[in-house]
Structures are given as structure tokens and as C-alpha cells.
């Protein structure tokens, strides 16, 4: 699972990130609303941990964009503001859970597992384009019932493309999906992933194509 952590307290964020990564989560960290907004547009995150008190505003103001960029993504608000009115405001503004600081990291992990178990009516279990069927939860692609063998980073690229099927996905968004926001991006690697996906779709007769929008990004659509 890939998590977007929005938290401005550096040491606290490092501790949380360490705990999450030890539990085999992939974590992208943003320390303000502007960076979080940019990260949200990638649409690759499967859960958001959202602090309320950020340098450039209340974290709750980001929830509408999070929902627009990634419908159904679970959102857990983290805040030292633990009064009843604050908790109610967080939940009424669209959060799935509200965790009051300070909290034990084990409790945070338990809350994450709890929201993962909840049925999500907004996020589809499978996305279908042409004859390509993509299982969102497991990151598996099938064509005519046969599973395609995909590398981890190919799955990351395909996830971003399938979630925005029929729309152009910026090259920068796909690079972020492949590398994470703290990794150095290697030139032309994305092109290699796209090329391999195209070949696998063609060999399997998936009936889809990844169209290049020159200078902008890529578009996944039913093959003409």
C-alpha cells in the first residue's frame, strides 16, 4: 500500500514514516498543503494520513481535492485538536477516521488496518478498458482470463493510467508513481516501462493502447 503522509513536524513525521515502512508500506511525505495538493494529483495513493495544523492552512481544506483526485481513498486525520467539536468537524468534512495526538504508533497501524477492511463503494474493485481487466487492490492485470506478468514499477505506471483511463496523465505524474517523491528520477526509464507495457498488451491482444501526447504525457484508451 502506498500512503500519502501530510505532516509538518519533521521528527514526528520521520517516526511515523519509519514505523509505516517497517510494516511494508510505501510512504510519500508532504509537509504542507501545497506539496500535498501536488502529490494528490498523482492519484497513486491508497490511503492518506492528514495533519490538520499545517503551515499554509487547515488540512481539512484538502479533503475535497483528495476525494476528486482519488475517489474513495481512505483519509485519517491526525491532530492535537482533540475536542469533540474538532473531531466532529473532521468526520463531517469527509475524513474516515480522526486520531488525536499524541498517539501510539501501534494504534495508528491498527486504525489503518481498520479503514482498509471497510467496503469502499466509490473505488471500483476492477477497472476494465478494452479486454484489459485490472484488479485495483492486488495490482493484477488480466486479458481474456490470463494474468499478465508485470514488474512492480510497471504496475505503478499501469495503476495511474487505469485510474485516469481516457484522460491524459502527465509524464511527471507517472514518474512520481514509479519513483516516489524522494527518489532520484532516472531519465528515459519511464519510456522503458511504457514500451514494455505496450508490448505486453499487444502480445496478449488486450485491445488497448497507450497513446503518447507529445510533450505532455500518456493516455490509456481502447485501441482504434
Amino acid at each position: 500500500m502506498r500512503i500519502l503522509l501530510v505532516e509538518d513536524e519533521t521528527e514526528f513525521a520521520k517516526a511515523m514514516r519509519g514505523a509505516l515502512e517497517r510494516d511494508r508500506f510505501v510512504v510519500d511525505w508532504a509537509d504542507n498543503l501545497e506539496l500535498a495538493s501536488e502529490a494528490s494529483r498523482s492519484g497513486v495513493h491508497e490511503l492518506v494520513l492528514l495533519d490538520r495544523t499545517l503551515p499554509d492552512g487547515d488540512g481539512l481544506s484538502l479533503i475535497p481535492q483528495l476525494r476528486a483526485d482519488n475517489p474513495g481513498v481512505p483519509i485519517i486525520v491526525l491532530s492535537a485538536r482533540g475536542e469533540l467539536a474538532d473531531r466532529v468537524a473532521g468526520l463531517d468534512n469527509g475524513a474516515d477516521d480522526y486520531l488525536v495526538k499524541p498517539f501510539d504508533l501501534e494504534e495508528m497501524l491498527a486504525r489503518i488496518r481498520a479503514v482498509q477492511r471497510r467496503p469502499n463503494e466509490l473505488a471500483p474493485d476492477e477497472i476494465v478498458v478494452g479486454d484489459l481487466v485490472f484488479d485495483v487492490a492486488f495490482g493484477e492485470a488480466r486479458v481474456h482470463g490470463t494474468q499478465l506478468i508485470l514488474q512492480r514499477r510497471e504496475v505503478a505506471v499501469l495503476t495511474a493510467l487505469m485510474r485516469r483511463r481516457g484522460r491524459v496523465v502527465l509524464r511527471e505524474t507517472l514518474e512520481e508513481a514509479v519513483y516516489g517523491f524522494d527518489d532520484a528520477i532516472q531519465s528515459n526509464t519511464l519510456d522503458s516501462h511504457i514500451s514494455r507495457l505496450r508490448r505486453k498488451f499487444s502480445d496478449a491482444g488486450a485491445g488497448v493502447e497507450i497513446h503518447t501526447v507529445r510533450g505532455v504525457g500518456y493516455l490509456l484508451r481502447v485501441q482504434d
Side-chain angles (χ1 to χ4, degrees), residues 12-27:
F12 183 61
K14 287 181 178 178
M16 291 180 62
R17 188 175 191 176
L20 290 165
E21 290 178 345
R22 284 192 297 273
D23 218 44
R24 299 188 178 183
F25 293 104
V26 176
V27 182

Side-chain angles (χ1 to χ4, degrees), residues 4-75:
L4 175 59
L5 170 63
V6 187
E7 170 62 59
D8 68 320
E9 296 179 29
T10 302
E11 293 305 316
F12 183 61
K14 287 181 178 178
M16 291 180 62
R17 188 175 191 176
L20 290 165
E21 290 178 345
R22 284 192 297 273
D23 218 44
R24 299 188 178 183
F25 293 104
V26 176
V27 182
D28 294 316
W29 174 32
D31 61 2
N32 59 56
L33 285 174
E34 183 178 359
L35 288 176
S37 176
E38 180 181 346
S40 172
R41 285 193 288 271
S42 70
V44 300
H45 300 102
E46 297 162 271
L47 185 137
V48 180
L49 297 172
L50 179 62
D51 186 25
R52 282 200 63 175
T53 308
L54 296 164
D56 47 352
D58 188 336
L60 297 185
S61 66
L62 185 65
I63 291 179
Q65 182 189 332
L66 293 171
R67 295 293 189 208
D69 291 332
N70 194 350
V73 64
I75 300 170

Side-chain angles (χ1 to χ4, degrees), residues 58-198:
D58 188 336
L60 297 185
S61 66
L62 185 65
I63 291 179
Q65 182 189 332
L66 293 171
R67 295 293 189 208
D69 291 332
N70 194 350
V73 64
I75 300 170
I76 301 178
V77 170
L78 315 173
S79 179
R81 298 164 61 175
E83 297 296 327
L84 176 61
D86 295 315
R87 301 197 305 273
V88 168
L91 297 171
D92 281 349
N93 276 275
D96 295 277
D97 201 350
Y98 194 105
L99 191 54
V100 178
K101 298 178 181 178
F103 52 80
D104 189 89
L105 292 175
E106 285 301 318
E107 181 182 3
M108 178 189 70
L109 293 171
R111 299 284 187 107
I112 290 173
R113 292 191 292 270
V115 297
Q116 282 183 278
R117 290 193 296 267
R118 296 176 188 171
N120 188 343
E121 297 178 356
L122 295 177
D125 294 328
E126 293 184 338
I127 302 173
V128 180
V129 179
D131 293 315
L132 176 65
V133 180
F134 184 68
D135 187 308
V136 178
F138 292 96
E140 295 177 351
R142 302 188 306 278
V143 177
H144 307 304
T146 300
Q147 183 176 338
L148 301 183
I149 305 302
L150 302 177
Q151 301 299 315
R152 178 176 61 85
R153 285 178 169 167
E154 292 170 5
V155 171
V157 172
L158 183 57
T159 299
L161 290 171
M162 290 293 278
R163 284 178 170 167
R164 285 167 169 72
R165 57 207 178 275
R167 293 182 286 168
V168 176
V169 183
L170 297 179
R171 182 181 182 87
E172 293 82 0
T173 296
L174 291 172
E175 288 174 337
E176 289 170 351
V178 170
Y179 288 103
F181 302 111
D182 295 328
D183 297 333
I185 295 176
Q186 302 175 25
S187 62
N188 299 324
T189 303
L190 175 61
D191 301 310
S192 298
H193 295 318
I194 293 290
S195 178
R196 285 195 293 271
L197 284 171
R198 283 171 169 159

